[in-house]
Amino acid sequence: MPPRMDPLLQETIIASIAMTCLGVLVALLYWGLTGLSPWPGLVMGEIGGFGLGVVLLVLSSPKRRHNR
């Protein structure tokens, strides 16, 4: 049986994927609606907010307990 992954690491990976998807969606919507390239202003701002978003998602996620 493979070793179980730490629940905090799982939540961090999921939050990183969610923030990446949100950032790509916002950049594509901006580009599509305005016709202007989102680089560098919008994308650099998203990169700055990525870490804060991941931390907030991980801390606010429901806690899961695994029986070992």
Side-chain angles (χ1 to χ4, degrees):
M1 194 160 119
R4 293 184 183 202
M5 191 181 303
D6 183 42
L8 181 61
L9 182 59
Q10 287 178 344
E11 294 298 331
T12 304
I13 292 169
I14 293 169
S16 297
I17 292 169
M19 288 301 297
T20 301
C21 292
L22 180 63
V24 168
L25 176 68
V26 168
L28 289 175
L29 283 175
Y30 178 85
W31 194 6
L33 293 174
T34 65
L36 302 172
S37 174
W39 180 260
L42 182 71
V43 174
M44 295 299 282
E46 288 178 347
I47 291 171
F50 178 83
L52 180 62
V54 169
V55 169
L56 290 175
L57 284 173
V58 169
L59 291 177
S60 65
S61 68
K63 303 298 177 220
R64 293 183 284 170
R65 303 226 182 251
H66 293 287
N67 295 331
R68 293 183 185 214

